[in-house]
């Protein structure tokens, strides 16, 4: 994309000519005016480089720690309007997908851009179902973890280890190889997650069953034992499938940015998914669902809610109301609305979780408190999801694993898009160096 440079004239750039998609910038250091094209509501950071004080000058850079206002890619996968509380996958509103689709249908949509027809869906379900087994040696890798290893630590390491079992995955430029690894990853994540849980319980692993659908199979691998048969309640299977749909993608968040960053080095998808999952593990990201549960337990009763809110406000950012706030949603998180509704349906089957009343009271008070209103802090996807996971019998430490399972389809869709993007290059941010200039070395005995 070219830029036009003009010497400053008497006339101000803003008032001079007809409207066009460009930004006029005056460099007050030199008096020169630059015209930067505006495309899709953005200016190119590289177009700033021409703005120099002289030939020795490197040129202007943009400074944007934490990417608050920087688009790092174009994408056609997920659309979010944070002010309106809109979330769409490939153009379809999230509430419609949550009501009408299965998770695997949505995973197909994310990866291929279209909802599958009957034949495509049958093939897709077959491809995923027939990749759910994991290599027996990978099982031994999992056996090596300590009995109290965190399930996310196990998941991240085991997925990374998978790259050594499928070395063909390194051939990231072959679309059919990529498709095969996508089948494997989407299929094996629930198996690895369930095995991690069984390991932590000291119980034998339960192998996947091809007769069961994706979510039912996962619940069965979690809760079946050799001593007892297990048939999950269909309402709970559906609730889990909907949670998977809601968590499947969320455009350029921390984990997806990690996936794209690692993928941009043409690393294999197993290592890249392990890196993305590591980002998701953090308490400010997918780890928040676990923290919400811990917070509700810490509060303990409805009577203690006002005091807790006061502590958060006095903590001035040190202590946060977990499950509240979002970098993008500044009105409401549409996923949280669906999950809140679903919590009621799940509790009809499992019995009411007393922590729900504490959560509802927290939400009620926070939504009318000036501190939270002014900062536009609303419940996010993690606020109610933990309560449902708990109702399903899933231990708190495994909550983020349940986020990583469906997000794998989103990560892979974003990775696929990255590798097909003609503008794709290795991700390499610049820095603003503020350290010392060249220093004289002092030998150790004189320091
Ligand atoms: N509780 C109390 N105060 C909060 C919270 C919160 N949950 N979130 C933000 N704030 C305050 C900050 O202290 C800050 O206040 P200040 O302006 O007085 O300094 C202001 O709101 C803005 O906060 P930032 O940290 O600048 O907002 P940012 O967009 O960077 O952070 C984030 C978003 C990380 C989600 C944040 O809201 C948070 O930490 N929430 C709790 C953790 C959580 O629920 N994470 C899950 C997010 S959803 C997901 O990743 C799947």
């Amino acid at each position: 994309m070219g830029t036009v440079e003009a010497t400053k004239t008497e006339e101000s750039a803003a008032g001079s000519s007809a409207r066009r998609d460009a930004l006029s910038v005056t460099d007050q250091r030199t008096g020169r005016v630059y015209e930067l094209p505006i495309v899709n509501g953005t200016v190119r950071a590289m177009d700033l480089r021409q703005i120099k004080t002289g030939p020795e000058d490197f040129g202007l850079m943009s400074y944007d720690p934490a990417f608050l206002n920087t688009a790092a890619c174009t994408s056609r996968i997920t659309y979010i309007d944070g002010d309106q509380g809109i979330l769409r996958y490939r153009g379809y509103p999230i509430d419609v997908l949550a009501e009408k689709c299965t998770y695997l249908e949505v995973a197909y949509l994310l990866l291929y851009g279209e909802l599958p027809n009957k034949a495509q869906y049958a093939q897709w379900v077959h491809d995923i179902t027939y990749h759910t087994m994991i290599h027996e040696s990978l099982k031994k890798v999992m056996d090596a973890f300590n009995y109290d290893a965190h399930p996310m630590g196990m998941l991240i390491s085991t997925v990374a280890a998978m790259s050594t079992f499928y070395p063909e995955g390194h051939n990231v430029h072959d679309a059919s190889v990529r498709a095969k690894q996508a089948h494997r990853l989407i299929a094996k994540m629930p198996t690895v997650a369930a095995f991690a849980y069984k390991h932590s319980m000291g119980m034998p692993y339960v192998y996947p069953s091809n007769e069961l659908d994706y979510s039912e199979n996962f619940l069965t691998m979690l809760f079946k034992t050799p001593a007892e048969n297990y048939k999950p309640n269909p309402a709970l299977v559906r609730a889990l499938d909907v949670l998977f749909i809601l968590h499947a993608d969320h455009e350029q968040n921390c984990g997806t940015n990690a996936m794209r960053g690692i993928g941009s080095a043409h690393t294999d998808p197993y290592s890249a998914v392990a890196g993305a999952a590591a980002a998701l593990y953090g308490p400010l990201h997918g780890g928040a669902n676990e923290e919400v549960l811990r917070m509700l337990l810490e509060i303990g009763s409805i009577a203690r809610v006002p005091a807790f809110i006061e502590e958060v406000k006095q903590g001035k950012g040190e202590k946060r109301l977990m499950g509240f706030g979002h970098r993008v949603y500044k009105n409401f998180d549409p996923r949280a609305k669906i999950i809140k509704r679903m919590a009621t349906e799940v509790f009809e089957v499992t019995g009411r979780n007393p922590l729900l009343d504490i959560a509802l009271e927290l939400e009620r008070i926070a939504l009318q408190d000036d501190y939270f209103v002014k900062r536009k802090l609303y419940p996010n996807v993690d606020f109610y999801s933990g309560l449902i996971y708990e109702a399903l019998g899933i231990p708190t430490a495994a909550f983020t694993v349940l986020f990583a399972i469906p997000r794998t389809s989103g990560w892979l869709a974003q990775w696929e898009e990255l590798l097909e993007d003609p503008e794709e290059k290795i991700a390499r941010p610049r820095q603003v160096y503020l350290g010392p200039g060249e220093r004289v070395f002092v030998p150790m005995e004189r320091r």
Side-chain angles (χ1 to χ4, degrees), residues 68 280 283-286 288 292 312 316-328 330 333 335 371-372 375 377 380-382 403 407:
L68 289 172
L280 187 73
L284 294 189
H285 194 9
V292 170
V312 169
K316 298 194 171 38
E318 291 297 309
K319 185 168 189 159
R320 293 198 163 195
L321 188 49
M322 298 312 282
F324 258 68
H326 198 275
R327 172 61 61 78
V328 180
K330 299 297 176 193
D333 181 337
R335 300 168 300 175
Y371 177 96
F372 297 92
R375 290 170 178 77
L377 301 170
N380 60 45
V381 67
D382 288 322
F403 195 149
R407 183 53 60 85

Side-chain angles (χ1 to χ4, degrees), residues 225-416:
T225 69
E228 206 169 22
N229 231 330
Y230 172 81
K231 178 90 187 128
N233 184 306
L236 302 186
V237 173
R238 178 63 194 155
L240 183 64
D241 216 50
V242 172
L243 281 174
F244 282 173
I245 292 171
L246 300 181
H247 286 87
D249 195 53
H250 212 234
E251 53 120 299
Q252 308 310 315
N253 54 76
C254 182
T256 303
N257 185 51
M259 181 78 192
R260 280 186 178 257
I262 299 168
S264 76
H266 297 169
T267 306
D268 71 89
Y270 303 98
S271 307
V273 165
L280 187 73
Y281 190 6
L284 294 189
H285 194 9
N289 53 18
E290 188 179 336
E291 297 300 325
V292 170
L293 238 279
R294 296 193 201 291
M295 175 186 77
L296 295 176
L297 287 168
E298 181 195 331
I299 296 170
S301 70
I302 293 180
R304 279 218 61 232
V305 168
F308 185 84
I309 294 219
E310 218 34 55
E311 281 171 38
V312 169
K313 286 161 61 180
Q314 296 313 319
K316 298 194 171 38
E318 291 297 309
K319 185 168 189 159
R320 293 198 163 195
L321 188 49
M322 298 312 282
F324 258 68
H326 198 275
R327 172 61 61 78
V328 180
Y329 295 120
K330 299 297 176 193
N331 180 339
F332 65 92
D333 181 337
R335 300 168 300 175
K337 271 198 170 174
I338 299 170
I339 293 180
K340 187 177 174 184
R341 239 186 358 249
M342 217 167 64
T344 320
E345 291 163 24
V346 167
F347 294 146
E348 271 171 26
V349 178
T350 62
R352 195 176 170 84
N353 185 336
L355 294 178
L356 177 67
D357 296 320
I358 300 177
L360 287 169
E361 182 66 358
L362 259 184
E363 183 184 355
R364 189 186 69 76
I365 297 187
L367 290 185
Q368 57 193 23
D369 188 300
D370 232 29
Y371 177 96
F372 297 92
V373 174
K374 246 182 28 214
R375 290 170 178 77
K376 301 188 171 176
L377 301 170
Y378 297 87
N380 60 45
V381 67
D382 288 322
F383 193 65
Y384 286 105
S385 63
L387 290 173
I388 300 184
Y389 294 146
E390 206 195 42
L392 296 179
I394 290 156
T396 315
F399 287 1
T400 312
V401 164
L402 269 88
F403 195 149
I405 292 172
R407 183 53 60 85
T408 299
S409 60
W411 288 330
L412 289 166
Q414 301 271 350
W415 175 70
E416 187 68 31

